[in-house]
Each structure stands twice: as structure tokens, then as C-alpha cells.
Amino acid sequence: MPIVVNLDVMLAKRKMSLTELSEKVGITISNLSILKKGKAKAIRFSTLQAICEVLECQPGDILEYIQEQE
Amino acid sequence: MVVKNRVYGGALIQFLLWVLRIGFFLFAHGVIIWLIYSIFIFITGGPTRHMDFPVMFSFADEGSLKTLNDDSAAKFYMRGATGAIMSDEVPRGFLAIYSFIALLIKVLFLLSLRLTIRILDSVRIGKFFIVENAIRLRYIGLLGIVFFILDRLGTVISASYFSDRLEFSGMVFTSFNLFSWVTLNSLFISLFLLVIAEAFRIGAQLKAENDLTI
């Protein structure tokens, strides 16, 4: 998928673990893991808002569009 | 740590699974016994006891109709009906064709039963809205259509064979009778199942998408 999730990069920058983020955001680790691995089909605005609030970043820091090579 | 699958649906699903499994077991064994018996009759050329062959007939007779004022003449007639005849002496060729169709019908029924059990099995472990179940439902629908065609084909073949060999007073045996042939209930149920299967497939896709929405 051309949308890449950079959640692991942001977590590393903030020196935060997935478990800690899960507790602060209120989303299960398994769901955050799906998001981190790029297996998610969609993300709710409310989830994005909560992650951005905790990680103090913009949605663009987490999501990135990379054009697919033909 | 051993994680056990949670049982969904509880007692009703368990009960249905039990009933269907017992039904499948009994019916499968019945088919095997029937098959052995049919082969035995075919080889030995013995009488076909307890074997029903469908026939089509119409019936007409005159009588009286009791009304409030007076008895008036009336004519009763049956436009088309299907019955069964138990015949001990049938030629091998006819027996082979009819038995083969009957066997196919029984196998189709067993397959439908098996697919229903697998659907209930998936419900038991909490995986109801999955694409596999939609495919199973579609197969049950398609098997139902084939079942309908084979059943009618068997009836026509049997009725054609017996139509000019049977003699009962007041009754006319026919090889094909539209009124008794066109009973489309089972066909409509199969078509309805196909519609449900398609709705199920879309539902399963939506659920899969929803499950991956964080």
C-alpha cells in the first residue's frame, strides 16, 4: 500500500514503548501493532487525534504517502 | 498457556450441531446400506422391494355436490398429481438410471448437510461473518438447484417408464404433467440462499475491513 505508517519512528523519537502508547491512547496493543506493521485498512480520526496528542506530532509525521513504482 | 476457543451461541448452536451430526451420520449410513442393496438387486436381478418410483397422474370422476338448495351434479378432477408406485419387477436399465439419479440426490443432500455443519462449527468458535461461510452458503444454494433439477429429471424418467404400463380405474398416468412438475418451492429457496450468500459475502468483507480499522 502506498501509505506508510511511521509510528515506530515517532515512538523511537519520543523514546516511548508501544505498551506505554497503548495505555495513554486507550487502544489495545494488538490494534496498535496492526497499525505499526501497516496491516490496517483504515484509521479513525479519533485514533489519529489521540496518537498525535500523546506523541505531540502532526498526522503527517505518522502517515506518509509513497508513490508506487510501476 | 493453552488458549481455548470461546464457544459462541451457547446451547442452541451445540444442540443444532448435535442434531445435524447425528442426522448426517444416520443418513450417510442409510445411503451406504441403500447403495449396497441396490447393487445387490442389480447383480442378482431380484425384486426391488421397498423401492418407490414416482409417477404422474390425473384423476377425474363425476359425483354430486351438496348445496343448501339441492344436490347438483359435479365433476371432481385433479389437474396433476405425483404419486409413488412400488414395483418389484423393473428392467435393469431403468433401475440403473433411476438409482444413479437417486444416489446423486442423496449425495447432494449429504454435501449440503456437511456444509451446514461446517457453518455451525465456525459459529461455535465465533467466526460467523467470514468469506468461507458465504462460499459455503453459495454452494448449498447451487447444490439445491442441482438437487431440484435431478429430482425432477428422476420423476420424469420414472413417470415416462410407468405411464403406459399402469392401469388404475379413473386415473390417467402421464409421462409429463406440468402442474405436478412445476413445484418451484425448493428452487426458490435455493435462489433465496444464493441472494443471502451474496449478502453474506459483502457483510464478511465489510467486517474484515472494519476489523482492520484502528
Side-chain angles (χ1 to χ4, degrees):
Chain A
M1 205 160 69
I3 300 289
V4 177
V5 181
N6 292 320
L7 190 65
D8 47 352
V9 178
M10 284 310 295
L11 282 170
K13 277 183 184 172
R14 299 287 181 264
K15 290 175 181 154
M16 196 183 283
S17 69
L18 201 66
T19 315
E20 199 181 339
L21 180 70
S22 154
E23 283 166 4
K24 286 182 177 172
V25 171
I27 297 170
T28 59
I29 297 173
S30 59
N31 274 346
L32 275 180
S33 183
I34 289 169
L35 186 65
K36 202 180 88 173
K37 286 174 186 168
K39 287 181 179 176
K41 292 260 185 186
I43 181 165
R44 291 188 188 90
F45 280 149
S46 55
T47 310
L48 198 57
Q49 185 190 332
I51 293 171
C52 286
E53 271 173 17
V54 172
L55 294 177
E56 293 170 347
C57 64
Q58 292 298 312
D61 297 329
I62 299 166
L63 303 174
E64 190 185 353
Y65 171 72
I66 294 172
Q67 201 164 15
E68 274 182 317
Q69 287 181 338
E70 286 182 15
Chain B
M1 193 177 77
V2 178
V3 181
K4 284 185 179 177
N5 282 324
R6 192 182 155 192
V7 177
Y8 288 78
L12 179 66
I13 299 297
Q14 291 287 357
F15 173 74
L16 286 172
L17 263 172
W18 240 79
V19 170
L20 286 175
R21 277 186 179 143
I22 290 170
F24 182 85
F25 178 80
L26 291 175
F27 194 79
H29 281 77
V31 170
I32 292 166
I33 292 166
W34 176 86
L35 187 64
I36 293 166
Y37 181 67
S38 298
I39 292 168
F40 176 73
I41 288 169
F42 188 76
I43 293 167
T44 59
T48 55
R49 288 197 182 92
H50 309 300
M51 207 161 169
D52 290 342
F53 300 98
V55 287
M56 294 187 202
F57 64 94
S58 52
F59 177 81
D61 206 355
E62 290 187 6
S64 65
L65 175 69
K66 291 187 192 296
T67 58
L68 287 171
N69 302 324
D70 197 7
D71 285 2
S72 58
K75 189 174 183 180
F76 168 79
Y77 71 99
M78 200 178 273
R79 284 188 293 186
T82 307
I85 197 95
M86 281 177 75
S87 172
D88 282 350
E89 296 292 328
V90 286
R92 280 187 182 187
F94 167 75
L95 185 67
I97 293 168
Y98 186 76
S99 298
F100 182 66
I101 291 171
L103 177 68
L104 282 180
I105 288 171
K106 285 171 175 55
V107 170
L108 287 181
F109 183 73
L110 275 174
L111 281 174
S112 302
L113 211 57
R114 181 80 196 125
L115 287 168
T116 312
I117 289 169
R118 292 188 75 176
I119 289 174
L120 281 175
D121 253 338
S122 69
V123 176
R124 197 172 56 84
I125 57 167
K127 287 181 180 175
F128 189 48
F129 270 107
I130 50 172
V131 178
E132 284 83 355
N133 276 352
I135 294 167
R136 282 168 193 151
L137 267 179
R138 191 188 297 162
Y139 277 135
I140 293 172
L142 290 172
L143 286 174
I145 293 170
V146 180
F147 184 100
F148 171 81
I149 293 166
L150 283 174
D151 182 50
R152 295 298 180 272
L153 187 70
T155 306
V156 168
I157 289 170
S158 173
S160 302
Y161 174 76
F162 285 106
S163 62
D164 50 357
R165 289 177 174 82
L166 281 172
E167 277 183 22
F168 283 90
S169 60
M171 295 167 90
V172 179
F173 290 91
T174 53
S175 56
F176 182 79
N177 199 328
L178 193 67
F179 286 104
S180 56
W181 198 80
V182 185
T183 44
L184 299 171
N185 299 3
S186 59
L187 186 65
F188 278 125
I189 290 168
S190 299
L191 292 173
F192 184 69
L193 261 180
L194 287 180
V195 175
I196 296 285
E198 192 56 23
F200 213 90
R201 188 185 63 79
I202 295 166
Q205 280 178 348
L206 286 172
K207 191 186 177 297
E209 208 159 282
N210 189 53
D211 286 347
L212 289 172
T213 299
I214 312 300

